[in-house]
Amino acid sequence: MQRYIALIDMDAFFASIEIRDNPQLRGKPVLIAGSHSQKGVVTTCSYEARKYGCHSGMSVLDARRLCPNGIYISGSHGKYVYASMKIVEICNRFSPVVEPFSVDEMFLDLSGCEKLFGSLEAIGEGIRGAIRDELQLPSSVGIAPNKTLAKLASRLAKPDGLYIIHPQDIENLLKDLPVQQLFGVGPKTTEKLNLLGIFTAGQLAQFPIEVLTRKFGVMGYHLRDLASGKDNSEVVAQREADKPKSISNETTLFEATNNRVFLKKVLLSLVHKVAFRMRKHGAVARTVRLTLRTHGFETHQYHQTLDHKIFFETDLYSEIIRLFDKVHFEPARLRLVGVGVTNLSFDEEPLQLRIFPDFDEKKVRMAEAVDVLKKRFGDSVIRIGDCRSGDYKYRPVDKPPLSFGMKNYIAEEIDSKKKGE
DNA sequence: TCTGGGGTCCTAGGACCC
DNA sequence: TCTGGGGTCCTAGGACCC
């Protein structure tokens, strides 16, 4: 049976949502930029904004130069995630195997679904119609024999269209396709291929494989398959796909600095974010990672794999600081710091980790309480307080949200949790 | 025009063990 | 005692994607 895979790709996703919710924006150049500061970048532009040469990834500064009359919006991430979940729900009506590839892209394995819905066209337009009717959002759908071709098809479908690639179309379609349009071929690889005289997928597919492997190693085979339209990778259903391989948070500083005291404070806030997200996933980590980027834009990562698993901010912070203190960057000012964890494993009940030798009942209670507070009052409500002695204590940030003492409040939260509330 | 923040996968070299 | 090869784990960096 011929396998078919669909890629649902939302058109200017974040911008389309903002336009939907504020019709006055329709027909205007709308740009979503996470931060409006000097260092912010554009995450999404409406098609009107693209006419001015704006594109995602561009700095806000440049975008403003090209499109001074554009409407710049910070956007609200929660709204986009909610819409994304609704799209997954719609996709699930058409196929049992749906893989959310990013917030605005979903792969569907359509094998066997064709009979159910009549034709591939019926499925593609069915999904697009449901997204349009129920969410008032435009989307493009690419359908092809595998994931990479589905990706290509969705690009050809844009904007607001459907494109289907059948096996007999593949060769013709790839023949004159510029190599940089292949999924996974970026600027560096394009440059190397061009130097070999390869400019199209057709040329790449015909190129002697010995030369490709000599130049690119194992990637040589991958490149040839890519250019020949071969791809056996499976659509992975949501449940497996949403277990992350790593969790990290990083931040670009307002001003590059080598003030270690300040940098440690920033690292602490990043540690909090990472630890909170780890618990949300029920993840424990064996490897911690510190990322530093210098003023000159050199990025360095420092890893430490531990002989035990960590999931508390206190433990994560000690390891990060241990790495940080080992690094000598005195002459170099830093523009970015980041904290990450990898080597993750997942536990059904992350906070019931009594199997671990260093299990500490008090820490577990503390972590539970902190999560309760964060869910209720937001991420920045509470932080680790004094870290110098190694005896960590939580301390509310700014003033406590309630009139009575934080200690009592935490105790009360734990009690109510125990009662099963 | 000096370049965000979240990820994934791959590679090369070193340490270590058998 | 010296040497070699294979396997595995870890670290650092690179390329790419949204």
Side-chain angles (χ1 to χ4, degrees):
Chain A
M1 188 179 61
Q2 176 60 48
R3 188 168 79 128
Y4 276 105
I5 286 165
L7 177 65
I8 319 306
D9 195 341
M10 301 302 292
D11 297 336
F13 188 45
F14 298 171
S16 297
I17 290 176
E18 297 301 336
I19 292 166
R20 175 195 69 186
D21 296 345
N22 181 1
Q24 287 184 334
L25 299 176
R26 197 167 295 281
K28 298 195 176 131
V30 174
L31 301 96
I32 312 298
S35 146
H36 288 193
S37 71
Q38 299 259 317
K39 284 174 180 155
V41 297
V42 174
T43 58
T44 320
C45 320
S46 70
Y47 281 87
E48 286 78 8
R50 292 181 200 191
K51 285 180 196 153
Y52 292 83
C54 298
H55 56 84
S56 52
M58 172 181 270
S59 78
V60 175
L61 229 58
D62 292 343
R64 279 194 194 279
R65 219 163 276 147
L66 289 170
C67 187
N69 297 324
I71 297 160
Y72 293 79
I73 301 175
S74 301
S76 62
H77 194 68
K79 202 155 73 170
Y80 310 148
V81 171
Y82 181 75
S84 184
M85 284 160 53
K86 289 287 164 197
I87 296 161
V88 173
E89 266 176 46
I90 291 172
C91 290
N92 276 319
R93 295 178 210 155
F94 291 85
S95 166
V97 188
V98 176
E99 175 182 342
F101 189 65
S102 72
V103 73
D104 71 332
E105 288 171 297
M106 326 285 152
F107 279 112
L108 279 71
D109 191 334
L110 299 184
S111 306
C113 306
E114 206 180 334
K115 284 190 193 110
L116 222 61
F117 294 94
S119 66
L120 293 173
E121 285 79 3
I123 297 175
E125 287 304 346
I127 296 170
R128 279 172 24 77
I131 294 175
R132 187 175 49 237
D133 295 345
E134 296 170 35
L135 303 175
Q136 290 80 49
L137 292 173
S139 62
S140 297
V141 174
I143 300 179
N146 61 51
K147 283 171 109 173
T148 32
L149 288 172
K151 182 92 186 155
L152 175 63
S154 78
R155 218 179 291 170
L156 296 170
K158 280 187 178 300
D160 202 13
L162 169 69
Y163 197 100
I164 301 174
I165 298 175
H166 293 285
Q168 63 270 24
D169 310 331
I170 298 172
E171 203 183 324
N172 222 348
L173 202 70
L174 290 174
K175 200 171 51 137
D176 298 319
L177 188 80
V179 283
Q180 60 267 34
Q181 290 199 26
L182 291 169
F183 184 67
V185 178
K188 305 277 177 183
T189 311
T190 301
E191 204 185 314
K192 286 184 195 162
L193 288 170
N194 288 169
L195 280 174
L196 290 171
I198 303 170
F199 295 90
T200 66
Q203 290 170 329
L204 178 54
Q206 297 295 321
F207 209 77
I209 187 67
E210 311 84 59
V211 185
L212 289 180
T213 48
R214 198 160 56 227
K215 197 90 185 162
F216 297 98
V218 185
M219 272 290 288
Y221 295 104
H222 178 67
L223 284 170
R224 187 194 51 184
D225 287 349
L226 215 58
S228 323
K230 285 183 197 146
D231 174 14
N232 290 324
S233 57
E234 304 269 331
V235 178
V236 184
Q238 190 172 16
R239 209 166 266 272
E240 277 108 302
D242 67 7
K243 281 189 179 163
K245 300 243 171 28
S246 67
I247 296 172
S248 64
N249 280 94
E250 56 188 46
T251 187
T252 296
L253 307 169
F254 185 71
E255 196 177 19
T257 177
N258 54 11
N259 178 339
R260 297 186 84 95
V261 176
F262 171 75
L263 289 166
K264 284 183 184 180
K265 278 186 187 162
V266 178
L267 286 171
L268 177 59
S269 73
L270 293 169
V271 160
H272 274 280
K273 287 186 182 170
V274 171
F276 183 53
R277 288 172 60 208
M278 280 170 72
R279 286 199 290 273
K280 220 162 64 178
H281 283 285
V284 294
R286 271 193 61 226
T287 304
V288 305
R289 185 180 70 214
L290 169 70
T291 304
L292 304 177
R293 181 173 291 158
T294 64
H295 185 56
F297 218 73
E298 281 168 28
T299 308
H300 300 280
Q301 297 198 320
Y302 305 90
H303 299 75
Q304 180 70 57
T305 299
L306 309 163
D307 56 6
H308 58 281
K309 298 175 175 178
I310 56 168
F311 54 103
F312 293 121
E313 33 270 80
T314 49
D315 301 331
L316 179 55
Y317 187 64
S318 327
E319 294 302 334
I320 287 293
I321 290 303
R322 216 192 300 278
L323 279 173
F324 185 70
D325 283 338
K326 268 201 268 182
V327 180
H328 300 287
F329 60 84
E330 294 306 343
R333 286 176 296 141
L334 300 178
R335 80 187 320 267
L336 171 146
V337 292
V339 169
V341 289
T342 55
N343 238 325
L344 303 180
S345 45
F346 296 87
D347 199 274
E348 286 302 304
E349 285 184 282
L351 292 178
Q352 305 299 316
L353 297 172
R354 288 165 178 81
I355 44 167
F356 290 108
D358 57 349
F359 170 77
D360 180 340
E361 181 81 31
K362 218 170 85 185
K363 278 187 183 173
V364 171
R365 294 272 193 84
M366 198 151 79
E368 275 177 342
V370 167
D371 286 353
V372 167
L373 286 173
K374 284 187 175 180
K375 269 180 204 146
R376 194 137 147 191
F377 300 109
D379 211 29
S380 54
V381 69
I382 190 163
R383 288 270 148 87
I384 297 172
D386 183 17
C387 319
R388 278 160 301 178
S389 60
D391 177 24
Y392 302 102
K393 289 187 177 71
Y394 277 95
R395 182 175 77 184
V397 172
D398 298 324
K399 54 184 186 230
L402 298 176
S403 55
F404 51 89
M406 183 54 64
K407 207 172 146 193
N408 294 338
Y409 184 73
I410 291 175
E412 191 192 65
E413 284 287 352
I414 290 171
D415 285 342
S416 65
K417 266 195 95 149
K418 273 193 193 153
K419 282 176 206 151
E421 287 174 29

